[in-house]
Amino acid sequence: MTTERVGPPLRGGERETLRAFLDHHRATLALKCDGLSTEELRRRSMPPSTLTLLGLVRHMAEVERTWFRRVIAHEDVPLVWSPDGDFQVAYDASTATGSEAFEAWQAEVEHARRIEREAESLDVTGHHERWGEDVSLRLVMLHLIHEYARHNGHADFLREGIDGTVGA
């Protein structure tokens, strides 16, 4: 997998800047996983944690799907790995393959990009069932940036523990 990471515009509009930061963080997660085998992607951080790079990729597929397809686009689709809606299932990558996880994640990213591009504005809203509240596309994009940034920090440590690689 070859990943290109482009920095955000220095003087862009709100939507262009949010889109660029989100894509920057998506590319960062991909770079953290670049060149690793499925076995390496499944390597756990440290006991008792079961966190893995592959689990993070699977989790982010669920996050993209939930916020963009289920919340903003109002699609009635189950989670990728849990028909019961249990987000924790994605973290268990013990039998997952890298190709399966990355294909699912990339598919959800493409759906998310399409939904965002087709939305009339950042003020478009969707309903978040668990919160019982309506949320704007703006909030969704900011939330995803936050979620990726947090997990990319985890990915830094995971990757360093696998082969000593630091930075993105």
Side-chain angles (χ1 to χ4, degrees):
M1 177 171 69
T2 303
T3 303
E4 180 184 352
R5 188 172 64 170
V6 177
L10 299 179
R11 291 175 301 284
E14 180 184 19
R15 193 164 185 173
E16 176 188 11
T17 301
L18 289 173
R19 183 184 295 146
F21 264 103
L22 183 51
D23 280 339
H24 180 84
H25 281 292
R26 288 168 173 152
T28 298
L29 181 58
L31 285 169
K32 296 294 177 188
C33 299
D34 237 4
L36 298 177
S37 68
T38 291
E39 182 178 304
E40 290 168 319
L41 290 167
R42 281 193 205 135
R43 191 168 301 161
R44 294 165 71 179
S45 58
M46 67 183 93
S49 176
T50 60
L51 191 62
T52 66
L53 285 168
L54 197 53
L56 286 176
V57 170
R58 288 165 48 100
H59 172 69
M60 292 312 298
E62 299 289 32
V63 169
E64 294 268 4
R65 175 175 224 151
T66 296
W67 284 99
F68 284 98
R69 292 179 70 185
R70 295 172 69 169
V71 173
I72 294 297
H74 314 286
E75 292 181 25
D76 185 18
V77 293
L79 293 179
V80 180
W81 287 282
S82 172
D84 303 324
D86 181 357
F87 276 86
Q88 296 305 307
V89 171
Y91 283 118
D92 180 7
S94 58
T95 60
T97 66
S99 59
E100 168 247 0
F102 280 95
E103 285 172 20
W105 177 54
Q106 289 168 344
E108 293 307 324
V109 166
E110 287 310 310
H111 282 293
R113 285 179 176 141
R114 176 187 49 78
I115 291 164
E116 183 273 321
R117 276 191 317 268
E118 291 174 359
E120 186 176 307
S121 76
L122 293 173
D123 295 322
V124 165
T125 61
H127 188 75
H128 191 285
E129 286 295 325
R130 283 183 30 208
W131 292 1
E133 298 282 344
D134 288 344
V135 297
S136 68
L137 176 58
R138 177 182 293 101
L139 178 127
V140 168
M141 292 181 77
L142 285 166
H143 179 76
L144 268 280
I145 291 166
H146 164 80
E147 185 96 5
Y148 272 104
R150 255 184 58 215
H151 290 313
N152 282 338
H154 300 137
D156 281 335
F157 290 119
L158 288 162
R159 180 63 189 253
E160 185 176 6
I162 292 166
D163 65 3
T165 298
V166 295

